Amino acid sequence: MNFPARADLIEVGPRDGLQNEKNLIPTENKLQFIKALKEAGFNEMEITSFVSPKWVPQMADAEEIVRYGSAAGRNIVLTPNEKGLQRALDNDCRAVAFFVGASNTFNQKNINRTTEESMNSLLPLIAKTKDRGLFIRACISTSFYCPYEGKIEEEPVLEICRQFADAGVDDLSVADTIGMANPQEVYSLFSRLKQEFPETLITAHFHDTRGLGLANVLAALQAGVDRFDTSAGGLGGCPFAPGASGNVATEDVLYMLQEMKIETGISLEKVLKAVNSIEPFLNKAISSKQYTLWKAQTAEKAQ
Amino acid sequence: MNFPARADLIEVGPRDGLQNEKNLIPTENKLQFIKALKEAGFNEMEITSFVSPKWVPQMADAEEIVRYGSAAGRNIVLTPNEKGLQRALDNDCRAVAFFVGASNTFNQKNINRTTEESMNSLLPLIAKTKDRGLFIRACISTSFYCPYEGKIEEEPVLEICRQFADAGVDDLSVADTIGMANPQEVYSLFSRLKQEFPETLITAHFHDTRGLGLANVLAALQAGVDRFDTSAGGLGGCPFAPGASGNVATEDVLYMLQEMKIETGISLEKVLKAVNSIEPFLNKAISSKQYTLWKAQTAEKAQ
């Protein structure tokens, strides 16, 4: 078994994690969450989204988050379209993320465009962004399974990645959006991605919907992947399966990497404290393994 | 990535799972649980323990469990010592399990003997059992980590396995009793076990204490392991870490194997129903991923 000696975790909790959260969280508390996570050691973070507040009220404070939450590291903001990109540029953002669904149906239900229409509108935006020297990440959702179409083949995903890579995208975040991929599928697709795009950062984005999150991280590591999107507390995730958990939890991935002696530069204890600071503002209890253990141990010590 | 085409799950819920359960479960309901699990397709099961009812009141009905729960398949009973073995023989059991802790301290705290003393008393019992033609499994607990001694090295574990294999043991169940092993350690030890004992069944026994259960199953599969002890509902597990979950849940392992197209012959739906039948008698809620999803989906359908 071969593994990288070091892996980077890209914390997506403040953006991907909170965007579907029903309770509107005060900006001040989001900023504290971001600060606590940065102090835990993350160099890269998705901090907010320049989306329409009409569709995603939770992200209505994107400007403030960018202004007060961008100290140190790479602060990535999601920009779904030209308008979002313009807001990011107006606010001096230095790293942006675009997204597209590999599944046509998913993309249509999500943003009312076919995958091809999305690509056609994103590629000119990427060219414009690249001219300005920003760091560009592309998020390819439903890269393994789609809730409407079922299994997504590797070739169309690779073709999307080719177009992004040719356009100069720095980072391809390839996502198992509904948490249905298995380790074999993960190993297969990421091996091909690592082979075909040696000059591009390749990030694996997993959901723990059906419990395979860490097994899939293990398979991706074996395929040579050394970048993972993770969400503190396992926040977020598409609400397609009742009872399902969301993004793979930062603290659970971090624990496994630590045990495997794969260096991340991130403090598990500080991540757990950051999770603890945001939990009171959430509409649900956090059920990640490490947080559950930490809370039980903390309660025991207090007795 | 190479995986076996088929894997056997040895269901340990009725024995390992229930033994630490505080509520005394009526024998009739245990028998229904065993029956439901057998109908799900298990060929091998740990069904009860011939331990002193003084120490483990939950297993006081071992004779009845053996008499009424032994239809079809390999029914394994745990026999900690000569007295237990005699009870198993008196009840016409055809498959027995002996156990020892690889960690000396753990073994002493558990049964007041050093590991060597345990081996010295078990080996003659194994010889006696072998003469009678029974199937013999040996469970080696704390094979990776001990709550008192920390990391356990591979060599002493291999040496215990050598003694068992030389004595004619059919099945070596090698356990990460406190759920601290990581996938690298799992791959390393099980690769050596598979290499050194090609004629002996090798079973991996994992706990999901810190969330690495399925990642460790994946690593063991890669080492060539095709037998896993699993517990319906994730029942059981050493109570060393507050907030910790127990044995790796049958339904979670089964789901992963199914998705990986590794044949088991076991019905996930029927396992979930078996778990559902025993849950009302337990002192705690079942938190396995598949069961949580299944209950939420069942509740949604009912609305």
Side-chain angles (χ1 to χ4, degrees):
Chain A
M1 282 189 149
N2 287 316
F3 300 106
R6 188 192 151 83
D8 288 315
L9 300 188
I10 296 91
E11 173 58 49
V12 301
R15 196 282 298 174
D16 191 12
L18 295 182
Q19 70 184 4
N20 290 324
E21 181 58 35
K22 279 176 195 163
N23 295 349
L24 279 186
I25 300 168
T27 305
E28 185 188 342
N29 300 100
K30 289 184 197 167
L31 288 168
Q32 281 171 359
F33 183 45
I34 291 170
K35 186 163 176 256
L37 288 167
K38 290 197 173 190
E39 284 172 3
F42 293 97
N43 289 319
E44 293 179 73
M45 198 180 298
E46 287 190 2
I47 59 168
T48 189
S49 249
F50 283 107
V51 286
S52 164
K54 201 174 99 192
W55 298 114
V56 190
Q58 187 70 265
M59 296 289 134
D61 56 5
E63 272 81 3
E64 280 175 278
I65 295 292
V66 165
R67 188 170 315 147
Y68 300 108
S70 290
R74 179 177 290 151
N75 299 284
I76 305 168
V77 297
L78 191 76
T79 55
N81 50 31
E82 183 150 22
K83 198 170 166 188
L85 177 61
Q86 195 53 54
R87 285 172 69 198
L89 294 172
D90 292 345
N91 286 278
D92 298 325
C93 293
R94 300 302 304 154
V96 294
F98 299 99
F99 71 84
V100 69
S103 153
N104 218 21
T105 315
F106 187 86
N107 205 59
Q108 277 183 313
K109 298 233 180 199
N110 200 14
I111 55 170
N112 203 25
R113 288 177 180 198
T114 66
T115 300
E116 194 181 342
E117 285 166 354
S118 273
M119 292 303 288
N120 288 342
S121 66
L122 288 179
L123 293 173
L125 293 188
I126 289 169
K128 178 177 167 182
T129 315
K130 192 156 174 64
D131 286 345
R132 296 185 177 229
L134 276 72
F135 178 89
I136 306 171
R137 114 181 295 220
C139 303
I140 302 102
S141 69
T142 56
S143 293
F144 293 89
Y145 285 89
C146 163
Y148 312 109
E149 295 186 13
K151 174 75 184 155
I152 302 294
E153 297 304 322
E154 290 182 354
E155 194 44 50
V157 176
L158 288 163
E159 179 51 34
I160 291 168
C161 290
R162 269 174 219 132
Q163 292 182 37
F164 279 136
D166 289 347
V169 159
D170 299 286
D171 183 22
L172 294 165
S173 169
V174 177
D176 176 28
T177 308
I178 58 169
M180 281 192 69
N182 72 51
Q184 285 158 318
E185 293 164 331
V186 164
Y187 182 79
S188 175
L189 180 59
F190 280 104
S191 295
R192 291 185 70 182
L193 288 164
K194 287 297 286 184
Q195 193 169 1
E196 190 165 340
F197 306 104
E199 304 300 320
T200 310
L201 298 171
I202 303 290
T203 305
H205 180 117
F206 296 122
H207 285 217
D208 199 33
T209 320
R210 290 161 187 83
L212 298 194
L214 291 188
N216 285 340
V217 169
L218 185 67
L221 285 166
Q222 290 179 262
V225 173
D226 58 1
R227 292 171 58 84
F228 295 91
D229 286 351
T230 63
S231 176
L235 298 174
C238 274
F240 283 101
S245 42
N247 286 287
V248 71
T250 301
E251 55 272 29
D252 289 346
V253 175
L254 188 53
Y255 171 77
M256 184 170 84
L257 295 176
Q258 273 186 10
E259 292 300 303
M260 294 174 71
K261 310 279 183 281
I262 296 174
E263 181 59 33
T264 63
I266 296 161
S267 157
L268 177 55
E269 178 77 13
K270 287 185 180 173
V271 170
L272 292 166
K273 286 182 177 165
V275 172
N276 194 236
S277 76
I278 199 74
E279 191 184 28
F281 301 96
L282 305 175
N283 205 15
K284 59 182 171 192
I286 286 171
S287 63
S288 77
K289 207 78 172 186
Q290 289 301 315
Y291 188 70
T292 306
L293 283 166
W294 182 78
K295 276 198 96 165
Q297 281 158 8
T298 308
E300 197 179 57
K301 274 182 205 157
Q303 275 172 4
Chain B
M1 281 188 149
N2 288 317
F3 300 106
R6 187 191 154 84
D8 288 315
L9 299 188
I10 295 91
E11 172 58 48
V12 301
R15 196 281 299 174
D16 192 11
L18 296 183
Q19 71 185 3
N20 291 323
E21 181 58 36
K22 279 176 195 163
N23 295 349
L24 279 186
I25 300 168
T27 304
E28 185 189 341
N29 300 100
K30 289 183 196 167
L31 287 168
Q32 281 170 359
F33 184 45
I34 291 170
K35 186 162 176 258
L37 288 167
K38 291 198 170 186
E39 284 171 2
F42 293 96
N43 289 319
E44 293 178 73
M45 200 180 298
E46 287 190 1
I47 59 168
T48 190
S49 251
F50 283 108
V51 285
S52 164
K54 199 173 101 191
W55 298 114
V56 190
Q58 187 71 262
M59 297 287 134
D61 57 5
E63 272 82 3
E64 280 174 277
I65 295 292
V66 164
R67 187 169 317 145
Y68 300 109
S70 291
R74 180 177 290 152
N75 299 284
I76 305 168
V77 297
L78 192 76
T79 54
N81 49 31
E82 184 151 22
K83 198 168 166 190
L85 177 61
Q86 194 54 53
R87 285 171 68 197
L89 294 172
D90 291 346
N91 285 277
D92 298 326
C93 294
R94 300 301 305 152
V96 296
F98 299 99
F99 70 84
V100 69
S103 153
N104 217 22
T105 315
F106 187 86
N107 205 59
Q108 276 182 312
K109 298 232 179 199
N110 200 15
I111 55 172
N112 204 24
R113 290 176 178 199
T114 65
T115 300
E116 195 182 341
E117 284 166 356
S118 273
M119 291 304 288
N120 289 343
S121 66
L122 288 179
L123 293 174
L125 293 188
I126 289 169
K128 177 176 168 183
T129 314
K130 193 158 172 63
D131 287 343
R132 297 185 176 229
L134 277 72
F135 177 90
I136 306 171
R137 113 180 296 218
C139 304
I140 303 103
S141 69
T142 55
S143 292
F144 293 89
Y145 285 89
C146 164
Y148 312 108
E149 294 186 15
K151 174 75 183 154
I152 302 294
E153 297 303 322
E154 290 182 355
E155 194 45 48
V157 176
L158 288 164
E159 179 51 34
I160 290 169
C161 290
R162 268 173 220 132
Q163 292 181 37
F164 278 136
D166 290 346
V169 159
D170 299 286
D171 183 22
L172 294 166
S173 169
V174 178
D176 176 28
T177 308
I178 57 169
M180 280 193 70
N182 72 51
Q184 285 157 318
E185 293 164 332
V186 164
Y187 182 79
S188 175
L189 180 60
F190 279 103
S191 294
R192 291 184 70 181
L193 288 164
K194 288 297 287 183
Q195 195 169 359
E196 190 165 339
F197 306 104
E199 304 299 321
T200 310
L201 297 172
I202 303 291
T203 305
H205 180 118
F206 296 122
H207 285 215
D208 198 33
T209 321
R210 288 160 188 85
L212 297 193
L214 291 189
N216 285 340
V217 169
L218 185 67
L221 285 167
Q222 290 180 260
V225 173
D226 59 0
R227 292 171 58 83
F228 295 91
D229 287 350
T230 63
S231 176
L235 298 174
C238 274
F240 283 101
S245 41
N247 285 286
V248 71
T250 301
E251 55 271 29
D252 289 346
V253 175
L254 188 54
Y255 172 76
M256 185 170 85
L257 295 177
Q258 274 186 9
E259 292 300 304
M260 294 173 73
K261 310 280 183 281
I262 296 173
E263 181 59 35
T264 62
I266 296 161
S267 157
L268 177 55
E269 179 75 13
K270 287 184 181 173
V271 170
L272 292 166
K273 285 181 178 165
V275 172
N276 194 236
S277 76
I278 199 74
E279 192 184 29
F281 300 97
L282 305 175
N283 205 15
K284 60 183 169 191
I286 286 171
S287 63
S288 77
K289 207 77 172 186
Q290 289 302 315
Y291 188 70
T292 306
L293 284 167
W294 182 78
K295 276 198 97 166
Q297 280 158 9
T298 307
E300 197 179 57
K301 273 182 205 153
Q303 277 175 1

